[in-house]
């Protein structure tokens, strides 16, 4: 399939200040990860667990790049307190459907930034005593890490800047872009304004 260009997204694309990883680069790297994980987990029927919604496309593409039997499940978390909107407070809002005790679990994440979300989730998963638990993240932002993140499989490093696309949003927009990029300064302002007036 031909790669989509930023121009095809019309006015929407003007919100993207710079593309960091193209659709082709992402697809290539995800395929490599799929091949590597398939080799490592041959005969283990791994359970891949993702956090909604940012991991949506990464999980879908990774699963299709894998060539061994596997299962998939999702959780959802809220990363700020509903009362204080304080960052760093992580709370589970959708639990697993599949029991993970004794299973070989691969936790699949979109971005690791401070590592707080990952830390909370790994602690929660370990309580259920999986046979093994490894982390696969598409993007890693090491600059602001507050807590150690035991990453086994990694797609790309990111600078300490907010990115959107390939499942990642800004106020629920931009998830559908097939590439990952930085938002232009005007897009932050426009979205804030829209939220105030809407
Ligand atoms: P942490 O707890 O490691 O600081 O944050 C991890 C979560 O913050 C990710 O799962 C993701 O939801 C969100 N996040 C971190 N950096 C970015 C970014 O640049 N763009 C988007 N859209 N989300 C991000």
């Amino acid at each position: 399939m031909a790669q989509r260009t930023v121009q095809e997204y019309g006015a929407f694309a003007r919100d993207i200040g710079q593309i960091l990883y193209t659709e082709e680069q992402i697809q290539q790297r995800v395929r490599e990860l799929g091949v590597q994980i398939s080799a490592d987990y041959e005969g283990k029927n791994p359970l891949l667990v993702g956090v909604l919604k940012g991991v949506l496309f990464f999980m879908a593409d990774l699963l299709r790049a894998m060539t061994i039997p596997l299962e998939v499940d999702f959780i959802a978390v809220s990363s700020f307190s509903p009362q204080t909107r304080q960052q760093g407070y992580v709370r589970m809002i959708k639990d697993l459907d599949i029991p993970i005790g004794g299973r070989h679990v691969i936790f699949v994440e979109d971005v690791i930034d401070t590592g707080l979300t990952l830390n909370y989730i790994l602690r929660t998963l370990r309580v259920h005593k999986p046979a093994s638990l490894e982390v696969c993240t598409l993007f890693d932002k090491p600059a602001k890490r507050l807590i150690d993140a035991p990453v086994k499989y990694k797609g790309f490093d990111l600078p300490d800047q907010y990115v959107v696309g390939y499942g990642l949003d800004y106020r629920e927009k931009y998830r559908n872009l097939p590439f990952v990029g930085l938002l232009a300064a005007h897009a932050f302002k426009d979205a804030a304004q829209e939220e105030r007036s809407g």
Side-chain angles (χ1 to χ4, degrees):
M1 191 184 77
Q3 300 293 305
R4 284 155 286 210
T5 63
V6 69
Q7 286 77 19
E8 288 175 65
Y9 290 83
F12 190 39
R14 284 201 292 276
D15 290 353
I16 304 301
Q18 186 192 339
I19 295 182
L20 295 180
Y21 293 107
T22 63
E23 180 176 12
E24 194 176 8
Q25 287 171 316
I26 295 171
Q27 293 299 327
Q28 170 66 28
R29 185 71 191 114
V30 174
R31 273 197 298 271
E32 288 168 5
L33 287 171
V35 169
Q36 189 186 352
I37 299 172
S38 298
D40 291 354
Y41 282 82
E42 181 77 58
K44 290 187 170 170
N45 186 29
L47 174 63
L48 281 73
V49 174
V51 186
L52 295 170
K53 302 176 222 171
V55 81
L56 186 68
F57 299 134
F58 178 39
M59 183 68 99
D61 288 338
L62 183 66
L63 293 182
R64 285 177 292 183
M66 289 182 63
T67 51
I68 57 170
L70 55 82
E71 292 170 33
V72 63
D73 203 355
F74 292 96
I75 58 174
V77 299
S78 161
S79 51
F80 58 82
S81 154
Q83 284 85 31
T84 62
R85 296 184 76 88
Q86 188 194 345
Q87 292 290 332
Y89 168 106
V90 187
R91 187 173 57 100
M92 182 93 74
I93 53 180
K94 185 216 164 285
D95 207 340
L96 290 162
D97 296 324
I98 301 176
I100 64 167
R103 298 292 306 269
H104 292 285
V105 175
I106 306 170
F107 177 64
V108 182
E109 178 64 298
D110 47 13
V111 191
I112 301 172
D113 189 9
T114 62
L116 291 172
T117 308
L118 178 69
N119 185 263
Y120 167 83
I121 292 167
L122 291 182
R123 271 190 288 129
T124 310
L125 295 179
R126 278 191 199 111
V127 170
H128 300 286
K129 303 215 176 323
S132 67
L133 178 59
E134 299 289 358
V135 176
C136 171
T137 188
L138 180 58
F139 295 114
D140 188 11
K141 286 180 167 180
K144 284 233 197 79
R145 190 75 90 251
L146 292 176
I147 196 157
D148 187 44
V151 176
K152 171 111 187 235
Y153 305 100
K154 173 162 79 171
F156 305 96
D157 276 326
L158 281 179
D160 184 21
Q161 280 169 297
Y162 197 83
V163 301
V164 295
Y166 195 63
L168 297 170
D169 73 312
Y170 176 63
R171 298 186 190 221
E172 294 302 328
K173 275 171 82 178
Y174 310 106
R175 291 192 199 275
N176 58 320
L177 297 173
F179 45 79
V180 162
L182 302 176
L183 267 189
H186 75 259
F188 286 109
K189 267 191 263 153
D190 292 354
Q193 228 153 32
E194 246 172 61
E195 194 157 275
R196 275 198 299 275
S197 60

